[in-house]
Amino acid sequence: QVQLKESGGETVQAGGSLRLSCAASDTLSKYCMAWFRQVLGQEREGIAVVGSDGVRRYASTVKGRFTISQDNAKNTLYLQINTLKPEDTARYYCAADETTADDCYVGTYGDFGYWGQGTQVTVSS
């Protein structure tokens, strides 16, 4: 059972950049790792995943400004967000599941069994 802890969220101005981190208690390469975000009152939205084979996939709604990456030596997952917009304001969550690489896709909340507590990103205009 992996434990996840996000960090790096803060209040930034529109146009800025941010890198979120997710520290895992287990080897990342054993899991399908993902980033989600959730605006209060809305469903949790999948952003990107990286499979145990290192293949990255992105939701079509965020492709281009978001980059998922990982440091296996540190068991840490990252999400780089560039050109931040006010609509990026949300709580960002790291998730993991023991899904095989072939089945590691940007899915929904129910597709992932392990979650962090989230980190808040607020973008001011």
Side-chain angles (χ1 to χ4, degrees):
Q1 186 172 0
V2 62
Q3 294 181 326
L4 305 170
K5 183 174 177 59
E6 304 91 336
S7 61
E10 59 181 271
T11 298
V12 296
Q13 285 195 330
S17 298
L18 206 56
R19 189 176 80 160
L20 307 181
S21 300
C22 171
S25 63
D26 197 359
T27 304
L28 290 185
S29 60
K30 294 168 60 176
Y31 301 91
C32 170
M33 299 297 301
W35 283 101
F36 281 72
R37 65 182 178 183
Q38 187 171 23
V39 176
L40 196 62
Q42 298 183 16
E43 289 188 359
R44 204 164 291 191
E45 173 193 16
I47 300 171
V49 298
V50 56
S52 56
D53 57 357
V55 173
R56 307 172 191 180
R57 297 182 173 94
Y58 296 89
S60 58
T61 52
V62 301
K63 203 169 185 179
R65 296 191 298 115
F66 292 70
T67 303
I68 189 171
S69 63
Q70 60 193 95
D71 185 333
N72 289 331
K74 296 181 178 180
N75 289 337
T76 302
L77 184 73
Y78 301 103
L79 182 69
Q80 177 72 35
I81 314 172
N82 297 325
T83 318
L84 279 154
K85 304 176 181 180
E87 52 264 41
D88 293 323
T89 295
R91 192 163 186 86
Y92 285 72
Y93 294 88
C94 173
D97 200 79
E98 291 144 329
T99 307
T100 63
D102 288 343
D103 292 326
C104 185
Y105 288 89
V106 178
T108 62
Y109 174 80
D111 293 326
F112 291 84
Y114 305 104
W115 291 88
Q117 294 300 307
T119 185
Q120 179 67 34
V121 173
T122 302
V123 184
S124 60
S125 57

